[in-house]
Amino acid sequence: MALPIEDYAIIGDSHTAALVGKDGSIDWLCLPRFDSASVFGALLGEPNHGRWLLAPDGEIVSTSRTYLDDTFVLLTRWQTPTGEVEVVDLMPYGGSLPDVIRRVRGIKGTVRMRSELRMRFDYASALPWVRQSPKHGGNALIATAGPDALIVRGPALTPRDHRHEAVFDVSEGEQVDSVITWFPSHKHTPDAIDVDKRLEDTLHWWRTWVGEFETPYREHVRRSLLVLRALTHAETGGIVAAPTTSLPEQFGGPRNWDYRYVWIRDASLTLAALMLHGYGEEAQHWRRWLLRAVAGDPSDIQIMYGLAGERRLQEYELDSLPGYQGSSPVRIGNAASDQYQSDIFGELMVALRAARIIGVEEDEYSWPLQRALMGYLETVWDRPDNGIWEIRGPAQHFTHSRVMVWAAFACAVEAVRVYGLDGPVERWEKLRDEIRDEVLTRGYDAERNTFVQHYDTKEVDASLLLLGQIGFIAPDDPRMLGTVAAIEQDLLRDGLVMRYRTGSGVDGLPGDENPFLACSFWLVQQYAHSGRLDDARVLMDRLVGLSNDLGLLSEEYDVAGKRQAGNFPQAFSHLALVRAADAIATATGTRPTASGGHLAPGA
């Protein structure tokens, strides 16, 4: 059975990522991309669904782990009755093919190590043909299944019942390297890599990228920014929501989704967070991705795409993986890619506005694309949608979606009025003001003094916390404060924020879910911006305390079981952490607002 979600660490090369458990087992790895089929799938089943275990063979006295500085080079140290040993795990950055390096170092005494390799291609549905290949290294193994192949170099592995095992001793001062490299099975077998150089280069790259800055919750912010970068595909610029699929929102339930794709919303918000901290190169890379992905008829725009802008993300269920601790089904693809969600226009325009503010100049394609999207939005802005939470029930006029449509037009107006770009500004201003008036009338419950989830309900929704952050209304406006009070009354579970009440039936799904971590960070922001700084700090301290020992967060938190839930690590949670820390910094005057400020209601 897979470990608790928080017991995993991520290593990655910005093309894909692996999850390494505290027990030394790599239980999840898709090759060669985040959205490829798994080679190690034990996370969604058991060891026989694929894993690579490397750990002491016998009694373990203690285990500790850390990342080396600001990198994704993982160091796990074990103490045993006979000695002490550490394993350095990494996926080296910048290679032409994906590699996994596992280096064992003897620290004290002598420790007997065990390596167990179970390779299972195509989500554990294809058992590979494995053969020895001495000409590629004394103990090299090559595993092939269809289009995929792996070469394994390291201690001699003995086949046993569709797995390969090695037992070897490591004494003080010794080190033993094991390397797996993926390659297309129709290509020549790659040469062995220089482990020392790849380790050194990878450490240097991550340390150089993160840079130096001071901010409240500095270590958590730095790790979160690193996670966001690790989930950004190095070549295409696409940012995946998470490197996993089907980790459950409710343990044992059906709310299991594939997050290995690029949501325009998540990517836009991620880029805004990165730009806020000076990562302009990533902004340009992502904008190029966006231009490619949405090129063509604006009416064809999707809420999410594949890493290179692929449009077909057909959802289906696997029968080869039983699910994380029995939570089924395991889904590949995502049917929400066919939904209409009008808020993405706002998030996209806000992110491009932020790029404009930090000096990323418009090129011959970027503004014409924005104009084309706004032209399409003019024709569909009044259409009900599936909302930020991708409900699978009937479409509604969600208040958050309407506000983000307002934000899209507000950004477009600002681009013309402030930056001198061309566009039908009077028409956009008219629509902007019309939408604002509509939201204040139909999206607001005067009797309870709160904004509502959608126009046909009195329910509230955590996404309403974003109204003040985007600038639709002041965070300390009495209507916003009333909304916060309603959310505190209706959506708090043990002090953490639910997205909405699943019992209302709005999402068309059975079962329940756990508090959504990003929503709780949004409440931190709202507290900080509305003068409740002490409350902001108390909640922020609790939330960062929910991170695992490596500073990683999943999508949700199970307060009853005191464990993380949902896909992991989750970009949305980490970017919300960064924004919450920035809000506290702004409220305390320890960091200037670098985003150019909120949109004003009449912007």
Side-chain angles (χ1 to χ4, degrees):
M1 179 180 292
L3 299 172
I5 291 170
E6 60 269 21
D7 281 356
Y8 286 98
I10 180 179
I11 59 173
D13 60 3
S14 285
H15 289 84
T16 188
L19 294 191
V20 187
K22 278 187 176 180
D23 60 354
S25 180
I26 297 178
D27 285 350
W28 183 253
L29 175 60
C30 299
L31 293 170
R33 301 197 326 179
F34 292 106
D35 55 355
S36 299
S38 66
V39 173
F40 301 135
L43 179 71
L44 299 180
E46 60 181 20
N48 202 43
H49 293 106
R51 72 166 183 174
W52 184 7
L53 174 71
L54 182 60
D57 185 34
E59 181 183 353
I60 295 173
V61 176
S62 67
T63 304
S64 63
R65 60 182 181 170
T66 186
Y67 286 121
L68 293 177
D69 303 327
D70 292 317
T71 76
F72 284 100
V73 177
L74 177 69
L75 189 152
T76 305
R77 181 168 292 195
W78 284 283
Q79 288 185 341
T80 75
T82 62
E84 188 173 343
V85 69
E86 67 182 23
V87 173
V88 179
D89 286 318
L90 71 146
M91 296 190 71
Y93 185 87
S96 59
L97 295 170
D99 306 288
V100 179
I101 297 172
R102 312 198 76 178
R103 166 170 283 181
V104 185
R105 293 172 173 167
I107 305 301
K108 185 187 302 181
T110 299
V111 177
R112 176 154 292 182
M113 298 293 293
R114 176 169 173 259
S115 178
E116 179 198 281
L117 183 61
R118 302 185 190 220
M119 297 172 283
R120 304 291 188 268
F121 290 90
D122 196 15
Y123 301 113
S125 68
L127 195 66
W129 172 45
V130 183
R131 64 194 187 278
Q132 292 185 332
S133 183
K135 70 176 182 178
H136 293 106
N139 299 317
L141 294 179
I142 296 178
T144 305
D148 301 297
L150 296 176
I151 180 165
V152 185
R153 295 179 171 99
L157 291 161
T158 301
R160 182 175 291 111
D161 192 22
H162 301 301
R163 65 182 186 271
H164 289 76
E165 298 178 341
V167 176
F168 55 95
D169 292 334
V170 180
S171 298
E172 181 177 344
E174 294 180 345
Q175 65 182 32
V176 178
D177 292 335
S178 299
V179 180
I180 285 182
T181 302
W182 176 92
F183 64 100
S185 60
H186 64 279
K187 294 287 188 71
H188 294 298
T189 304
D191 295 332
I193 64 173
D194 184 333
V195 173
D196 289 330
K197 185 176 189 311
R198 299 301 296 280
L199 172 58
E200 180 182 345
D201 290 348
T202 300
L203 288 169
H204 175 75
W205 191 90
W206 284 111
R207 289 165 175 162
T208 301
W209 182 84
V210 73
E212 288 295 334
F213 57 84
E214 293 299 325
T215 186
Y217 302 93
R218 176 179 179 273
E219 295 307 314
H220 290 281
V221 169
R222 289 169 73 85
R223 180 52 58 186
S224 292
L225 290 171
L226 286 161
V227 169
L228 297 178
R229 183 60 184 85
L231 299 182
T232 303
H233 193 268
E235 294 180 3
T236 69
I239 304 171
V240 297
T244 57
T245 179
S246 300
L247 290 180
E249 295 175 2
Q250 180 188 26
F251 296 104
R255 295 172 182 254
N256 316 314
W257 316 110
D258 193 347
Y259 276 15
R260 298 170 301 155
Y261 305 111
V262 186
W263 271 252
I264 286 183
R265 175 190 307 109
D266 293 22
S268 298
L269 293 171
T270 297
L271 260 296
L274 290 172
M275 286 185 287
L276 213 62
H277 290 266
Y279 296 101
E281 180 180 344
E282 282 70 21
Q284 296 191 50
H285 201 189
W286 177 80
R287 194 174 69 173
R288 290 192 293 270
W289 177 90
L290 177 69
L291 291 171
R292 296 191 304 270
V294 304
D297 189 333
S299 65
D300 294 332
I301 190 171
Q302 297 184 182
I303 68 162
M304 72 178 83
Y305 297 87
L307 283 167
E310 297 92 345
R311 292 172 175 264
R312 294 187 182 274
L313 307 179
Q314 182 179 1
E315 182 178 305
Y316 61 94
E317 298 177 4
L318 290 178
D319 57 12
S320 56
L321 292 171
Y324 176 82
Q325 297 185 359
S327 299
S328 63
V330 172
R331 292 184 172 93
I332 305 301
N334 200 306
S337 59
D338 295 326
Q339 290 184 353
Y340 171 68
Q341 297 175 19
S342 58
D343 67 295
I344 65 170
F345 294 96
E347 274 108 12
L348 188 154
M349 293 296 287
V350 167
L352 292 174
R353 171 185 184 256
R356 196 179 299 126
I357 288 172
I358 69 169
V360 179
E361 295 183 359
E362 302 289 351
D363 59 29
E364 59 181 318
Y365 301 110
S366 60
W367 179 245
L369 169 69
Q370 293 170 71
R371 277 202 58 169
L373 290 173
M374 295 309 300
Y376 174 63
L377 186 58
E378 288 182 57
T379 68
V380 297
W381 71 269
D382 196 33
R383 177 181 166 189
D385 75 332
N386 298 94
I388 184 175
W389 306 128
E390 299 168 4
I391 65 157
R392 300 198 175 195
Q396 306 283 354
H397 288 108
F398 286 99
T399 301
H400 169 264
S401 294
R402 310 302 267 178
V403 169
M404 293 314 298
V405 170
W406 167 87
F409 285 112
C411 289
V413 169
E414 182 189 75
V416 176
R417 295 295 192 197
V418 177
Y419 291 92
L421 299 170
D422 63 304
V425 67
E426 291 83 5
R427 192 163 72 239
W428 289 344
E429 286 174 329
K430 182 177 182 297
L431 284 170
R432 177 201 64 191
D433 295 343
E434 180 180 343
I435 295 165
R436 177 174 171 77
D437 290 342
E438 179 196 273
V439 171
L440 293 176
T441 302
R442 300 186 61 195
Y444 174 70
D445 179 359
E447 182 179 353
R448 195 181 181 193
N449 185 32
T450 180
F451 288 96
V452 293
Q453 182 182 49
H454 59 82
Y455 289 175
D456 297 318
T457 186
K458 291 184 176 294
E459 296 279 340
V460 293
D461 188 297
S463 64
L464 299 171
L465 292 168
L466 297 173
L467 271 57
Q469 296 169 29
I470 199 64
F472 180 81
I473 191 169
D476 58 356
D477 185 288
R479 292 166 293 186
M480 193 65 219
L481 298 181
T483 302
V484 172
I487 288 172
E488 290 172 329
Q489 179 177 338
D490 293 1
L491 299 184
L492 288 188
R493 180 178 294 179
D494 192 23
L496 301 180
V497 184
M498 306 291 294
R499 295 190 295 179
Y500 50 84
R501 289 196 321 110
T502 56
S504 70
V506 68
D507 60 16
L509 293 167
D512 196 9
E513 62 179 26
N514 293 293
F516 199 79
L517 290 171
C519 297
S520 295
F521 284 116
W522 294 346
L523 185 57
V524 171
Q525 285 183 265
Q526 168 61 29
Y527 285 160
H529 288 314
S530 60
R532 296 174 62 177
L533 189 56
D534 288 343
D535 290 333
R537 284 173 166 153
V538 168
L539 181 54
M540 186 72 171
D541 288 342
R542 182 179 178 195
L543 288 169
V544 297
L546 301 181
S547 305
N548 74 359
D549 54 319
L550 298 169
L552 302 176
L553 289 167
S554 65
E555 180 183 18
E556 299 183 354
Y557 190 78
D558 174 5
V559 291
K562 293 181 169 41
R563 59 185 300 192
Q564 295 192 23
N567 284 304
F568 172 88
Q570 177 77 4
F572 214 37
S573 298
H574 282 280
L575 74 89
L577 183 156
V578 173
R579 291 162 65 96
D582 287 341
I584 291 174
T586 300
T588 57
T590 55
R591 178 181 174 86
T593 302
S595 65
H598 296 310
L599 287 164

